């Protein structure tokens, strides 16, 4: 038998000296008798004494007649106790002890592999149980995170819903204010055109009534006030349109965010509802990548809060603008109505004043006409009296002429002569005085005729002014818009 060392220097084999249990290794059909103190190994396993060196038996010849005699002997073979002889059919390289050690190696290798397999099976079962348990735990935690995130998204979505509802109502109210301002701008042209047309009508008054009275002053103030209010409403309309643009921009931003949150909520809800048995789960390679444009929870909350804050700020400015617009309407309406009242009061006073002077002028015209008639009668009477004095003058002159026919001494300057001369002289003076009175009466008549013409013309002027102020002006002022119309309703 070949000697086999306990530890091979070349590392070919290593024999374990521990006792092999019959339950771990298969036994032969022969029953092995066990001694009380030790266990007997089967014959195909290492036996006692195999560890001892083998006695050298010398060179080995050919074992069969067919051996070629070719010996594969090397100096190393003497160290291991090998003396192999090889022919064409067989080769002898190992001894029985090595054969038994070789058999034990296979049993040990199988036992080790079985133990490793058992350990691997146990470890695999433990690993699978642990992995499934941890996977279920992680999946539950992830599901809880998805539920929490869905609730967070839903909460922000509700806040955006409320903000969108508020800003939509504000846009509707501001749109109504814009329509109201446009309506007011169209209505404000009515009092402005009324005042302007009235001023043009009063410019057609006749010369003596072309005065800058209180009516004209108040009308001028009304035109200036209407122009000022129109400019103010135009600026307010521009502010409303700019505010509407800001409101719609904030609404669009919140709507985009709201739409994104609706989609995110649906996605997170669907993810929350998925489980391991869901038919929609698939392999998704690359799903664990982080997109470059992804936000963080802090930036997500900051973006949503900023959108809500911006929308609320714009809504507050819109509410302030609407409040300011109400104050503008109240003040403007009060100023317009007060100015219209002042115009109407001044117009009424001017009409009463014109009617009063027109009545006085008519009375004066009646007096003038009456006096003119009296003057004409006086002139006729003076002319008649002049004709009566002419006959007396002719009689006196005729007498004097006849008395001048006396001859010689009879042509005497007697009392009748002086009396006739005095009569002619007195009649001449009386005729001259009567003619002077007639001339004065005629001059007075001419003055009365001129005064009558002036009065008639002045009455015509006043009636024209009354027609403009009363008939045309008050009719035109009756179309002045009401307070509701001026407020844009």
């Amino acid at each position: 038998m070949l000697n086999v060392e306990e530890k091979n220097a070349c590392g070919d084999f290593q024999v374990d000296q521990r006792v092999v249990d019959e339950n771990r290794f298969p036994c032969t059909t022969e029953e092995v008798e066990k001694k009380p103190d030790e266990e007997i190994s089967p014959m195909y396993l290492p036996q006692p004494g195999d560890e001892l060196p083998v006695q050298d038996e010398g060179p080995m010849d050919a074992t069969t007649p067919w051996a070629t005699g070719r010996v594969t002997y090397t100096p190393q073979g003497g160290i291991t106790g090998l003396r192999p002889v090889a022919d064409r059919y067989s080769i002898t390289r190992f001894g029985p002890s090595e054969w038994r050690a070789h058999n034990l190696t296979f049993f040990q290798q199988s036992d080790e592999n079985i133990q490793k397999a058992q350990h691997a099976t146990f470890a695999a079962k433990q690993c699978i149980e642990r992995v499934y348990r941890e996977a279920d735990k992680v999946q539950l935690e992830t599901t809880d995170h998805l539920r929490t995130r869905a609730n967070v998204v839903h909460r922000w979505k509700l806040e955006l819903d409320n903000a969108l509802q508020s800003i939509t109502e504000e846009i509707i109210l501001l749109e109504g204010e814009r329509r109201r301002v446009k309506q007011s701008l169209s209505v404000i042209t009515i009092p402005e055109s009324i005042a302007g047309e009235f001023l043009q009508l009063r410019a057609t008054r006749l010369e003596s009534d072309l005065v800058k009275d209180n009516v004209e002053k108040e009308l001028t103030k009304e035109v200036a006030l209407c122009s000022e209010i129109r400019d103010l409403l135009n600026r307010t309309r521009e502010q409303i349109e700019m505010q509407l643009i800001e409101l719609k921009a904030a609404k669009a931003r919140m709507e985009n965010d709201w739409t994104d949150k609706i989609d995110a909520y649906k996605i997170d809800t669907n993810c929350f509802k998925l489980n391991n048995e869901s038919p929609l789960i698939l392999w998704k390679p690359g799903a664990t990548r982080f997109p470059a444009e992804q936000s963080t929870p802090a930036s997500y909350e900051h973006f949503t809060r900023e959108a809500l804050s911006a929308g609320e700020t714009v809504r507050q400015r819109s509410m302030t603008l609407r409040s300011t617009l109400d104050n503008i309407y109240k003040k403007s309406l009060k100023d317009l109505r007060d100015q219209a009242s002042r115009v109407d009061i001044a117009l009424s006073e001017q009409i009463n004043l014109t009617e009063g002077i027109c009545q006085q002028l008519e009375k004066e015209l009646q007096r003038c006409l009456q006096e003119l008639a009296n003057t004409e009668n006086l002139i006729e009477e003076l002319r008649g009296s002049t004709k009566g004095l002419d006959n007396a003058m002719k009689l006196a002159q005729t007498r004097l002429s006849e008395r001048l026919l006396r001859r010689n001494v009879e042509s005497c300057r007697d009392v009748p002569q002086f009396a006739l001369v005095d009569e002619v002289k007195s009649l001449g003076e009386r005729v001259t005085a009567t003619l002077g009175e007639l001339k004065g009466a005629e001059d007075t008549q001419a003055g009365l005729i001129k005064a009558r013409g002036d009065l008639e013309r002045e009455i015509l002027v006043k009636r024209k002014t009354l027609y403009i102020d009363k008939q045309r002006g008050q009719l035109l002022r009756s179309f002045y818009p009401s307070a509701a119309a001026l407020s844009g309703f």
Side-chain angles (χ1 to χ4, degrees), residues 351-457:
I351 288 173
N352 293 332
L353 188 61
T354 306
E355 286 179 345
I357 192 173
C358 187
Q359 292 174 0
Q360 294 298 325
L361 288 173
E362 287 176 352
K363 291 180 180 179
E364 191 67 23
L365 178 61
Q366 290 178 359
R367 289 180 61 247
C368 183
L369 291 174
Q370 184 65 38
E371 192 63 30
L372 182 60
N374 295 333
T375 304
E376 289 177 352
N377 292 332
L378 176 62
I379 290 172
E380 292 296 328
E381 184 180 353
L382 288 174
R383 286 176 180 173
S385 63
T386 304
K387 290 180 181 179
L389 292 176
D390 288 343
N391 292 329
M393 178 65 72
K394 287 189 290 183
L395 175 61
Q397 288 179 359
T398 300
R399 286 175 177 177
L400 284 173
S401 177
E402 287 294 330
R403 284 176 66 86
L404 288 175
L405 294 177
R406 291 176 302 169
R407 293 187 297 270
N408 299 320
V409 72
E410 290 296 327
S411 179
C412 180
R413 298 177 181 177
D414 51 6
V415 174
Q417 183 72 25
F418 285 106
L420 287 173
V421 172
D422 291 336
E423 183 182 3
V424 170
K425 183 178 179 182
S426 63
L427 286 173
E429 291 177 356
R430 290 188 179 91
V431 169
T432 301
T434 304
L435 290 176
E437 291 296 330
L438 179 61
K439 179 72 170 57
E442 289 177 350
D443 292 340
T444 302
Q445 182 186 20
L448 288 173
I449 292 173
K450 183 177 182 302
R452 183 192 65 181
D454 292 340
L455 287 173
E456 289 176 348
R457 179 175 177 79

Side-chain angles (χ1 to χ4, degrees), residues 276-414:
N276 293 334
E277 304 299 327
S278 298
L280 300 178
I281 57 176
L282 296 171
W283 293 105
K284 301 288 184 179
T288 58
R289 71 185 186 277
F290 287 95
E293 67 277 6
Q294 250 185 349
S295 63
T296 61
S299 62
Y300 169 85
E301 185 175 355
H302 174 73
F303 179 82
T304 306
R305 287 187 182 277
E306 187 178 9
L308 290 171
S309 177
E312 182 63 22
T313 302
V314 173
R315 192 176 73 88
Q316 291 296 330
R317 285 205 299 268
S318 177
M319 293 174 63
T320 303
L321 180 59
R322 287 193 297 109
S323 177
T324 304
L325 185 59
D326 289 337
N327 294 330
I328 289 174
Y329 272 120
K330 291 179 181 178
K331 186 176 183 304
S332 301
L333 181 61
K334 183 177 181 302
D335 292 342
L336 279 175
R337 295 306 303 176
D338 291 345
Q339 184 61 33
S341 299
R342 284 193 288 269
V343 171
D344 293 338
I345 293 172
L347 182 60
S348 298
E349 292 177 352
Q350 188 66 28
I351 288 173
N352 293 332
L353 188 61
T354 306
E355 286 179 345
I357 192 173
C358 187
Q359 292 174 0
Q360 294 298 325
L361 288 173
E362 287 176 352
K363 291 180 180 179
E364 191 67 23
L365 178 61
Q366 290 178 359
R367 289 180 61 247
C368 183
L369 291 174
Q370 184 65 38
E371 192 63 30
L372 182 60
N374 295 333
T375 304
E376 289 177 352
N377 292 332
L378 176 62
I379 290 172
E380 292 296 328
E381 184 180 353
L382 288 174
R383 286 176 180 173
S385 63
T386 304
K387 290 180 181 179
L389 292 176
D390 288 343
N391 292 329
M393 178 65 72
K394 287 189 290 183
L395 175 61
Q397 288 179 359
T398 300
R399 286 175 177 177
L400 284 173
S401 177
E402 287 294 330
R403 284 176 66 86
L404 288 175
L405 294 177
R406 291 176 302 169
R407 293 187 297 270
N408 299 320
V409 72
E410 290 296 327
S411 179
C412 180
R413 298 177 181 177
D414 51 6

Side-chain angles (χ1 to χ4, degrees), residues 194-255:
I194 288 174
E197 185 176 355
F198 197 9
L199 284 173
Q200 292 179 356
L201 282 174
R202 287 178 62 82
T204 60
R205 292 174 296 173
L206 297 178
E207 296 82 2
S208 61
D209 273 9
L210 283 175
V211 294
K212 191 173 183 179
D213 51 6
N214 290 331
V215 178
E216 187 169 352
K217 292 179 182 178
E218 297 298 334
L219 285 172
T220 305
K221 291 180 181 178
E222 188 175 42
V223 171
L225 180 61
C226 290
S227 178
E228 183 179 350
I229 293 175
R230 186 181 65 250
D231 295 339
L232 179 60
L233 290 178
N234 281 324
R235 292 194 300 270
T236 306
R237 185 186 63 181
E238 293 176 357
Q239 293 177 2
I240 290 175
E241 291 175 351
M242 291 297 297
Q243 192 63 43
L244 279 173
I245 292 174
E246 292 182 3
L247 282 172
K248 291 178 180 178
K251 181 184 177 183
R253 179 180 177 182
M254 287 193 291
E255 283 178 344

